[in-house]
């Protein structure tokens, strides 16, 4: 087992087992074990595993959301989120239907993005819960927390 080192951009407290990260040499990998200052990753195909201290977060993109099963909607007109964005910009929404749980009674999780904002707003239903996120591991963690299930992503 080889330890590959470059600049550390994620701390071990930011993610959990199962999160996808981007290693500078190995590419997209899945976290399979977390230690105090390092973590084990496996390549997506499971062919290699290694200790890492230097994986980077994977930025969210429309393509990643679609590959995770979100459905795209373009929303026209004024929205109820004016405190988050300029109402003159286009509103983009990706919707994901979920089962009700003890934590949520809504059946929809949305990611909303206005114009060229660098972040997405993760929201439950019509906005009963909102959080700004930029990275795939943040989406994975939010989805797991709310639904108790892993988000399937085909990168």
């Amino acid at each position: 087992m080889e330890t590959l080192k470059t600049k550390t951009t994620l701390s071990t407290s930011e993610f959990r087992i199962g999160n996808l990260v981007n290693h500078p040499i190995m590419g997209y990998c899945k976290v399979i074990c977390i230690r105090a200052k390092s973590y084990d990753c496996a390549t997506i195909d499971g062919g290699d595993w290694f200790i890492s201290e230097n994986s980077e977060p994977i930025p969210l993109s429309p393509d990643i959301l679609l590959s995770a099963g979100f459905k795209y909607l373009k929303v026209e007109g004024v929205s109820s989120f004016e405190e988050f964005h300029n109402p003159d910009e286009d509103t983009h929404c990706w919707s994901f239907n979920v089962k009700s749980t003890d934590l949520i009674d809504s059946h929809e999780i949305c990611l909303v993005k206005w114009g060229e904002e660098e972040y997405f707003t993760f929201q439950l239903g019509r906005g009963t819960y909102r959080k700004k996120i930029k990275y795939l591991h943040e989406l994975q963690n939010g989805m797991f927390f709310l639904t108790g299930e892993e988000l399937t992503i085909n990168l």
Side-chain angles (χ1 to χ4, degrees):
M1 178 171 29
E2 182 179 345
T3 300
L4 304 171
K5 292 187 177 185
T6 61
K7 180 181 174 189
T8 301
T9 56
L10 283 173
S11 79
T12 57
S13 65
E14 292 183 63
F15 51 77
R16 59 180 188 74
I17 293 173
N19 281 158
L20 297 176
V21 294
N22 189 17
H23 190 274
I25 296 170
M26 303 300 284
Y28 292 147
C29 299
K30 182 182 277 192
V31 175
I32 58 173
C33 177
I34 300 173
R35 296 182 180 82
K37 293 185 178 181
S38 67
Y39 41 92
D40 292 359
C41 289
T43 54
I44 297 293
D45 65 5
D48 291 310
W49 67 278
F50 52 93
I51 296 172
S52 181
E53 298 173 356
N54 59 338
S55 294
E56 297 179 3
I58 299 171
L60 277 179
S61 70
D63 289 339
I64 286 176
L65 294 175
L66 293 173
S67 75
F70 282 79
K71 305 291 183 223
Y72 174 74
L73 307 161
K74 183 174 178 196
V75 181
E76 300 290 339
V78 178
S79 95
S80 62
F81 304 99
E82 291 180 8
E83 71 269 20
F84 289 99
H85 78 292
N86 177 348
D88 295 329
E89 293 178 332
D90 286 336
T91 302
H92 302 274
C93 177
W94 291 265
S95 174
F96 190 90
N97 291 324
V98 295
K99 299 177 205 168
S100 293
T101 69
D102 291 340
L103 290 174
I104 58 173
D105 59 4
S106 174
H107 296 284
E108 183 177 64
I109 292 175
C110 295
L111 274 100
V112 181
K113 187 169 186 170
W114 294 278
E116 298 301 315
E117 291 287 344
E118 65 180 60
Y119 60 85
F120 292 77
T121 300
F122 178 95
Q123 69 178 41
L124 186 56
R126 292 258 186 225
T128 54
Y129 170 81
R130 291 184 188 150
K131 178 177 174 62
K132 293 179 182 179
I133 63 173
K134 292 173 63 173
Y135 301 110
L136 179 55
H137 72 279
E138 295 171 316
L139 174 61
Q140 289 179 286
N141 294 347
M143 293 292 287
F144 185 81
F145 174 74
L146 290 171
T147 67
E149 297 179 9
E150 294 289 342
L151 185 63
T152 302
I153 304 157
N154 299 311
L155 295 177

